[in-house]
Amino acid sequence: HLDTHFGHSGAHAAEPGPFVPEFARTLRPHASALAEGAESEDPPHQAGDHDKSETVRGAEDLKQLEGSEVRVDLLNNNNSQYYGDFALGDPAQRFTAVFDTGSGITWVPGSACKSDTCSEHHRFSVEGSKSFEELDPVRADGTIHYGTGQVEYVDGRDTLTFCDSHTDPGCHGVKAKRLKVPTQPFGMSTNQTDYPFRILPFDGILGLAPSASGGSVMHALKKTNALERNLFGVYLSEDTHRSGSISFGGIERAHIAPKSPLTWHKIQNDQEWTLAMKDILVDGKPLHICDDRPDGTCPAVVDTGSSLITGPTGEVEKLLSTVRLKDDCSNLAKLPTVSIRLADKDGVLTDYPLTPQEYTLKSLEEVPQTGNAEYLKEFPVLGGASDAVPQVRPRCDPGLGVMDVPGRKWVIGDTFLRRYYSIYDDDRGRVGFAKSVHPDEAAQEAPPPASPADSAKAASLGP
């Protein structure tokens, strides 16, 4: 078992700029006593995962947003990162990257990087693209520092293309509709640390911060009017054998639970998908985590590039002390429900609950020294007489952690975004959440339509 999740959990680049995620070690929870004292009365709030009213909140918006320009599958790497395909240059050079709402920077390995780490991934060739442009004026080489490594890069600009994973996989379709960004700035790495990049299955990062962040893909999409609606929806799968997806220009209602409300939240910074987090609740009880912050709210970045929900030292301990998860998963059913409370676009508080199964990363690991196999030199002998089948056991790791970043931001990462479909509306500066439905879940069906006889009976009864 690798005790490190190679998902990146919010950090900043060395130079000032938009929020850039980092590949970071998952920190184990440390016990901390809850704040003492009587709790104040819980303020009025609404549920983010269901709506019992006859007219479901946001239903009309979901209907109007259905459909997309291009849909890209997001492969699930052990519930730690979600990455998809795109192309750069003319002719197209194909890459994979984490589609990252927590970053305003796009980078891929460059041909000038000669290390094994780069050569084992796709590298961009400047000479191989007739549409490549150097940035003018040419900037100094850049460096992005991550929690467990760094990337050095040079800047360029070229055409970026998204191809629909269903109608145009690999950009091999004929007359397929594609989403093109003619002048996307991006970095080409000249050096990358072996750890963690060598063992990661994707090539780089594709930054999807709001369009006010000049390096973001959304900036170029909006500038060129490539989309009728400058928004995108993200579905993250919970099953590592199934893919998620990102839908540009619209949403996929098939990934949203029937009767789920859609709640919109204003972003607090036009260069980040940062929302106002009011508090975190444990089994419905507020922890008063943000009471001492300005306006009583904590800034929380919605980050598809982060594996976990994280908070800064001095605040997150209140949460972690209530979630004493055992490695062997033996107490999973006894853990509490954790809810994130956000202020919506009208200031109304909305609670988004997560069950213990939803905020826990569960896997299987091999029990040490329980298996062996025969070998003939370096080749395994299958079915050998002395072979012993190794034992496996469940392992649980928390999807919550500690992360100290500038601005003392919280990070709402994949732990949350697997449960809630997220919509990033750049035109209106807001993020929307609706409860996701996964293939293995029994979706709550809408009631059958009333028969003509029932309708006539209801009419005769009157109001």
Side-chain angles (χ1 to χ4, degrees):
H1 174 78
L2 294 175
D3 195 37
T4 300
H5 297 286
F6 296 106
H8 34 186
S9 306
H12 281 255
E15 53 186 330
F19 187 79
V20 178
E22 72 175 350
F23 301 92
R25 180 174 299 274
T26 298
L27 303 180
R28 309 287 281 173
H30 297 287
S32 174
L34 287 172
E36 297 181 356
E39 294 183 347
S40 60
E41 184 178 351
D42 196 18
H45 57 276
Q46 61 189 7
D49 63 333
H50 67 276
D51 188 346
K52 296 181 179 179
S53 62
E54 184 175 341
T55 303
V56 177
R57 185 171 69 252
E60 188 60 30
D61 283 353
L62 290 175
K63 182 178 179 181
Q64 292 178 0
L65 294 175
E66 171 71 16
S68 62
E69 300 285 339
V70 167
R71 175 185 182 274
V72 179
D73 286 345
L74 299 178
L75 300 181
N76 183 336
N77 183 39
N78 296 320
N79 281 340
S80 291
Q81 308 98 18
Y82 295 81
Y83 62 98
D85 293 319
F86 69 103
L88 284 168
D90 182 15
Q93 302 177 41
R94 293 175 182 83
F95 297 90
T96 59
V98 171
F99 282 49
D100 193 347
T101 60
S103 177
I105 296 174
T106 295
W107 67 264
V108 297
S111 58
C113 183
K114 305 299 184 183
S115 68
D116 290 341
T117 298
C118 288
S119 63
E120 291 169 3
H121 290 81
H122 300 97
R123 291 182 291 179
F124 182 80
S125 170
V126 171
E127 295 77 13
S129 174
K130 59 186 179 184
S131 54
F132 176 80
E133 302 174 13
E134 291 186 353
L135 290 184
D136 187 24
V138 177
R139 284 174 33 183
D141 296 352
T143 302
I144 304 176
H145 295 281
Y146 295 104
T148 53
Q150 69 178 36
V151 174
E152 299 172 8
Y153 66 93
V154 294
D155 288 311
R157 182 184 285 121
D158 211 332
T159 300
L160 186 150
T161 305
F162 296 111
C163 297
D164 194 284
S165 296
H166 287 200
T167 62
D168 190 19
C171 300
H172 296 305
V174 178
K175 295 183 179 180
K177 188 171 184 179
R178 296 171 182 174
L179 186 58
K180 288 198 173 187
V181 183
T183 55
Q184 174 62 40
F186 68 102
M188 298 159 284
S189 69
T190 56
N191 185 49
Q192 298 175 210
T193 52
D194 287 344
Y195 186 82
F197 301 107
R198 188 171 184 179
I199 60 176
L200 293 172
F202 48 87
D203 301 315
I205 299 293
L206 189 137
L208 288 170
S211 62
S213 176
S216 170
V217 171
M218 286 306 297
H219 177 85
L221 285 171
K222 193 168 187 176
K223 182 179 179 181
T224 57
N225 296 314
L227 295 172
E228 183 177 341
R229 298 177 296 202
N230 292 293
L231 60 79
F232 57 94
V234 176
Y235 165 72
L236 300 185
S237 63
E238 66 171 2
D239 186 340
T240 57
H241 301 96
R242 291 187 167 108
S243 63
S245 65
I246 182 168
S247 177
F248 288 99
I251 66 170
E252 298 174 271
R253 290 180 69 189
H255 291 310
I256 297 175
K259 295 187 176 181
S260 170
L262 168 65
T263 308
W264 292 106
H265 304 272
K266 291 181 181 178
I267 61 174
Q268 308 297 299
N269 181 333
D270 65 357
Q271 295 196 19
E272 299 175 355
W273 301 109
T274 305
L275 308 181
M277 187 179 83
K278 183 64 176 177
D279 204 353
I280 291 181
L281 294 80
V282 175
D283 277 343
K285 296 180 180 179
L287 298 181
H288 303 286
I289 284 177
C290 303
D291 285 2
D292 295 332
R293 295 282 199 122
D295 300 323
T297 61
C298 299
V301 180
V302 186
D303 185 3
T304 56
S306 284
S307 304
L308 313 177
I309 297 171
T310 64
T313 303
E315 291 179 349
V316 74
E317 292 92 342
K318 291 183 179 180
L319 170 62
L320 300 184
S321 65
T322 68
V323 185
R324 306 289 183 83
L325 177 65
K326 294 184 178 180
D327 290 350
D328 63 2
C329 311
S330 60
N331 68 333
L332 186 60
K334 299 178 182 178
L335 294 178
T337 295
V338 171
S339 300
I340 294 180
R341 174 169 287 178
L342 302 174
D344 76 1
K345 65 180 182 64
D346 299 316
V348 177
L349 301 181
T350 305
D351 294 350
Y352 295 95
L354 297 170
T355 66
Q357 292 75 18
E358 291 166 349
Y359 63 74
T360 298
L361 299 171
K362 192 173 182 180
S363 60
L364 294 174
E365 65 177 2
E366 184 176 318
V367 179
Q369 301 178 340
T370 61
N372 68 285
E374 291 184 30
Y375 281 83
L376 177 63
K377 295 184 178 180
E378 71 271 28
F379 301 102
V381 178
L382 302 180
S386 63
D387 279 2
V389 177
Q391 299 176 21
V392 294
R393 61 190 177 194
R395 179 182 176 91
C396 282
D397 291 292
L400 315 166
V402 183
M403 182 64 64
D404 290 308
V405 300
R408 292 178 56 77
K409 297 182 181 74
W410 283 71
V411 177
I412 301 176
D414 300 342
T415 298
F416 178 90
L417 299 173
R418 272 188 291 274
R419 179 66 283 169
Y420 295 97
Y421 188 94
S422 50
I423 307 171
Y424 305 81
D425 186 346
D426 192 81
D427 287 331
R428 293 174 174 82
R430 59 185 184 174
V431 177
F433 295 120
K435 187 177 181 180
S436 295
V437 60
H438 299 294
D440 292 334
E441 292 179 328
Q444 182 180 0
E445 298 294 337
S451 67
D454 290 338
S455 299
K457 182 177 180 181
S460 66
L461 293 175

